Amino acid sequence: STDHKVIGIQYGFTGLIFLLFGFSLMMLMRWQLAYPGQALPVIGKWLPHIFGPNTMVDGKMTPDFYNSLGAMHGTIMVFLGIVPLAFAAFGNFVVPLQIGAPDMAFPKVNMASYWAVFVGGIIMLISFFVPGGAAKSGWTSYVPLAAIADSGPGHLPVFNGQTLWLIGFIFLITSSLLGAINFIATIIQLRAKGLTWMRLPFFVWAQFVTAFLLLLAFPPLEAGIIMQLMDRVAATSFFMPVGLVVNGAPLSISGGGSPLLWQHLFWFLAHPEVYVLILPGMGIVAEILANNSRKPLWGYKSLVFSVLTIGFLSFIVWAHHMWLTGMGSAVSAFFQTTTLIISIPSVIILSAFFISLWGGSIRFTVPMLFTTAFLPMFGIGGLTGIPLAFNSADLYLHDTYYVIAHFHYIVAPGTIFALFAGIYYWFPKATGRKMNDFWGKVHFWPTFICMNVIFLPMFLQGMAGMHRRWYDGGQGWNVSNEHTIWGLTG
Ligand code: HEM
Ligand SMILES: [Cu+2]
C-alpha cells in the first residue's frame, strides 16, 4: 500500500515484533549472566535446533553465541525496533493528520522505505542461521575485531554473520534516508494553508528535526559500512592496520588502514542516532501531556528552539564516545564542552514539560501514566550522562554497566514508555476502539517497577567496575580472588 496510515501501521507491527525479538535475545543473555555456565532449563535443549549446534551446548551458552546475542540485541532494538516505531510508524500515521496533508509527499518512496527496512530485517534474521551465527562484534562493530570476525575455517564468504550484518545495514540506512527525505518534503510542502512554522505541533517539530538527523548522519556511516564490507570481501584495508597479528600469525594486509576512522564514522552517525531515538518520544510525550493536563504546553517557543539546538549540536559531540582513544587535550576539551552544552536544551525541554503539568487539571489515563513516568526516567538518563561528559570520569566509567544504565534509562523507561503512551493514545484513532483501561494499568505499574529493578542496580555494578561485555558477568574474577586468599594464607 502507499497509504500513509497503512504504512504507519505496517511499520508499527514490524517495530513491535523486532522489539519483542530483541528483548528475547537479552533474556537469554541475562540467564547466562545470572547463572554463568549453567544449563538453561527447558528451552536450553531445543535452542540448538533453531540456532545451530554451537550455540547452547548441552543447554549451556557458548561465548560466541553470547556475543551474537549482545551485538544483535543492540542492532535490532535501535535500528529495527525503535526507529521504525518511533520515527516511521508514529511519523507516518500522525504527521500528515496533524499538518492537514492528504498523504506523505512521495507515497511510493514511502512504500519503498518500508520494504527496505523489511528486507534489512530479514537479512539480519537470516544471519542467525548461517555457519558461525550472527554478527558478534557489538552493535558498534568496531574494527579490527569486526573485520576479522566470522571469517576463516567454518565460515562462508558472504553468508557469514558480520558480512550479512553489513549488507542488512545498507538496507536499513536506505530505508531511513528515503523516510527522512519524505518527512522533510512533506512537512515543508504539504502543510495546510495558514499552518505556519510556529504553529506546528511540537510533535511535528520533533519528527522534522529527527528526519534531518537521519538524512545528514547516515551517509558517512553508509560509506563506512561499504568500506568495511570491502575490507571483508575485496581485500581492501580501509580499517585494517599494518602489522596486525591474529592468533599468533601476522595478517597480510595491503597498505595500512585506520581502525580509528571506523569509530569516527560510526559515532558521527550514532550520536545523532541516539537523539533519533529520543526526539520522537519527546514529541509524543508533549502531545499527551498537553491533552491530559487540559492546557497548552508551557514554553512552546523554547521547546522548538531547544529541539533545533539539539539537532545542530548533536553533530559535534560524537567523540565523547571515544575518550579512551588518546585524542589529546585540545580535541577532548572541545568535545567535553559541546557535550556539556547539549545537555542544556535537554534540561529546558524536560523543565518545560514539568512546568506544563503545573496548575493543569490532570487526568491519569493510561497514556498519561506512561508519559508522567517518562519524565523522571529521562531525567535520570540525562543526568547520569553528565559524568560521562568529563573524560577524567569516563576513564573509569567507559564500557562499564554505568554506561549501559545511562542510555537504557533514556531508551527503555524513556523512549519505550513514550511509545507505549503513544500506542494507547492513538489506538482509538487507528481502530475506532479504546484500549481497556484496567489492563492498561496492569501493564503500566509492573513495567514501571521492573524497569527500575533492572536498570538502577546497573549504575552500581558499573561504578564497581563491571565491564559491559563480560560473558560471565565478572564472576570469572572470583578465581583470582580465590588465588589471592590462598596466597595470603600461604
Ligand atoms: C543529556 C546529556 C547527555 C550526556 C552529557 C551524555 C553523555 C554520554 C557520554 C559521554 C557517553 C559515552 C560514555 C562511554 O562510552 O564511556 C554516552 C553514552 C551513550 N549515551 Fe549519552 N549522554 C546524554 C544524553 C543521552 C541521550 C538523550 C541519549 C539517547 C537518546 C543517550 C544515549 C547514549 C548511548 C546509546 C550511549 C552509549 C552507546 C554505546 O557505547 O553503546 N545519551 N552518553
Ligand atoms: Cu553520544
Side-chain angles (χ1 to χ4, degrees):
S1 171
T2 54
D3 180 82
H4 73 99
K5 281 194 200 160
V6 176
I7 295 179
I9 290 168
Q10 286 173 329
Y11 265 121
F13 273 108
T14 311
L16 281 173
I17 289 169
F18 274 108
L19 279 182
L20 184 65
F21 182 66
F23 174 76
S24 319
L25 301 182
M26 182 43 70
M27 295 274 276
L28 292 177
M29 291 177 79
R30 279 284 137 197
W31 169 268
Q32 162 64 18
L33 286 173
Y35 309 104
Q38 291 185 32
L40 175 64
V42 193
I43 58 169
K45 285 266 183 279
W46 53 261
L47 279 176
H49 297 292
I50 304 176
F51 291 117
N54 296 326
T55 52
M56 305 281 292
V57 180
D58 297 329
K60 295 176 196 158
M61 187 176 291
T62 62
D64 270 359
F65 190 48
Y66 178 85
N67 286 341
S68 285
L69 293 174
M72 297 310 283
H73 166 76
T75 306
I76 287 173
M77 291 311 229
V78 171
F79 299 102
L80 284 158
I82 295 190
V83 173
L85 197 54
F87 175 65
F90 281 105
N92 261 300
F93 198 87
V94 178
V95 167
L97 297 181
Q98 285 195 336
I99 64 172
D103 201 321
M104 298 291 278
F106 312 115
K108 285 200 178 128
V109 173
N110 203 14
M111 183 176 76
S113 140
Y114 172 73
W115 289 109
V117 86
F118 188 83
V119 172
I122 297 291
I123 294 175
M124 293 289 183
L125 289 180
I126 288 175
S127 76
F128 276 95
F129 306 104
V130 297
K136 40 188 85 58
S137 308
W139 79 287
T140 53
S141 265
Y142 273 14
V143 283
L145 184 65
I148 57 174
D150 298 337
S151 55
H155 294 93
L156 299 172
V158 172
F159 281 84
N160 61 72
Q162 185 62 25
T163 307
L164 288 181
W165 187 90
L166 294 164
I167 295 172
F169 225 103
I170 293 176
F171 282 91
L172 302 184
I173 296 177
T174 307
S175 164
S176 283
L177 292 178
L178 293 176
I181 293 169
N182 217 345
F183 276 94
I184 293 170
T186 306
I187 295 170
I188 294 179
Q189 289 294 333
L190 297 186
R191 274 171 296 133
K193 273 216 174 66
L195 187 56
T196 54
W197 285 103
M198 288 318 273
R199 287 202 192 142
L200 283 181
F202 179 68
F203 176 79
V204 177
W205 271 112
Q207 295 287 18
F208 189 61
V209 173
T210 305
F212 269 102
L213 296 182
L214 288 169
L215 183 67
L216 300 177
F218 254 137
L221 183 68
E222 179 143 40
I225 296 262
I226 291 171
M227 289 192 275
Q228 196 186 115
L229 191 60
M230 287 178 68
D231 277 4
R232 295 180 65 82
V233 300
T236 56
S237 63
F238 289 106
F239 301 125
M240 300 288 271
V242 276
L244 189 65
V245 176
V246 177
N247 293 336
L251 286 190
S252 93
I253 290 165
S254 55
S258 163
L260 217 52
L261 174 62
W262 168 264
Q263 295 193 21
H264 281 295
L265 292 174
F266 183 83
W267 289 114
F268 186 80
L269 158 87
H271 186 85
E273 177 75 20
V274 306
Y275 283 93
V276 168
L277 303 179
I278 194 69
L279 295 184
M282 287 177 165
I284 295 171
V285 161
E287 197 69 30
I288 296 172
L289 213 63
N291 186 281
N292 284 284
S293 57
R294 288 178 256 198
K295 66 193 201 33
L297 282 176
W298 186 88
Y300 171 80
K301 274 191 193 148
S302 53
L303 283 172
V304 172
F305 177 74
S306 298
V307 82
L308 289 169
T309 312
I310 286 182
F312 171 73
L313 286 175
S314 68
F315 284 100
I316 49 170
V317 297
W318 80 90
H320 65 212
H321 296 274
M322 300 166 58
W323 297 136
L324 266 66
T325 56
M327 61 180 74
S329 55
V331 175
S332 80
F334 173 81
F335 282 104
Q336 290 179 76
T337 312
T338 53
T339 304
L340 287 174
I341 295 176
I342 202 174
S343 50
I344 297 172
S346 311
V347 171
I348 294 179
I349 292 180
L350 193 60
S351 312
F353 285 168
F354 272 117
I355 299 173
S356 297
L357 290 170
W358 192 265
S361 55
I362 300 172
R363 279 180 300 208
F364 279 106
T365 58
V366 175
M368 188 61 171
L369 283 175
F370 279 106
T371 296
T372 34
F374 169 96
L375 302 178
M377 298 296 102
F378 175 74
I380 294 177
L383 283 178
T384 53
I386 292 184
L388 301 174
F390 295 97
N391 65 355
S392 47
D394 190 61
L395 202 62
Y396 183 72
L397 294 172
H398 180 63
D399 269 356
T400 67
Y401 265 75
Y402 182 92
V403 176
I404 304 283
H406 154 64
F407 70 78
H408 278 89
Y409 259 94
I410 291 170
V411 293
T415 304
I416 302 262
F417 276 13
L419 296 175
F420 284 147
I423 291 172
Y424 281 104
Y425 183 70
W426 276 298
F427 186 83
K429 255 222 166 70
T431 62
R433 298 177 50 203
K434 202 174 165 296
M435 281 174 125
N436 184 298
D437 220 47
F438 172 76
W439 289 112
K441 285 180 181 160
V442 172
H443 175 200
F444 170 74
W445 285 105
T447 311
F448 179 62
I449 293 166
C450 290
M451 281 281 190
N452 285 284
V453 171
I454 296 169
F455 293 116
L456 206 57
M458 288 187 189
F459 286 118
L460 301 177
Q461 289 180 303
M463 286 189 276
M466 182 174 158
H467 191 276
R468 64 191 288 185
R469 305 209 196 267
W470 280 342
Y471 158 67
D472 62 356
Q475 300 194 8
W477 295 94
N478 290 343
V479 178
S480 46
N481 288 335
E482 276 170 33
H483 286 156
T484 322
I485 200 117
W486 291 342
L488 268 175
T489 47

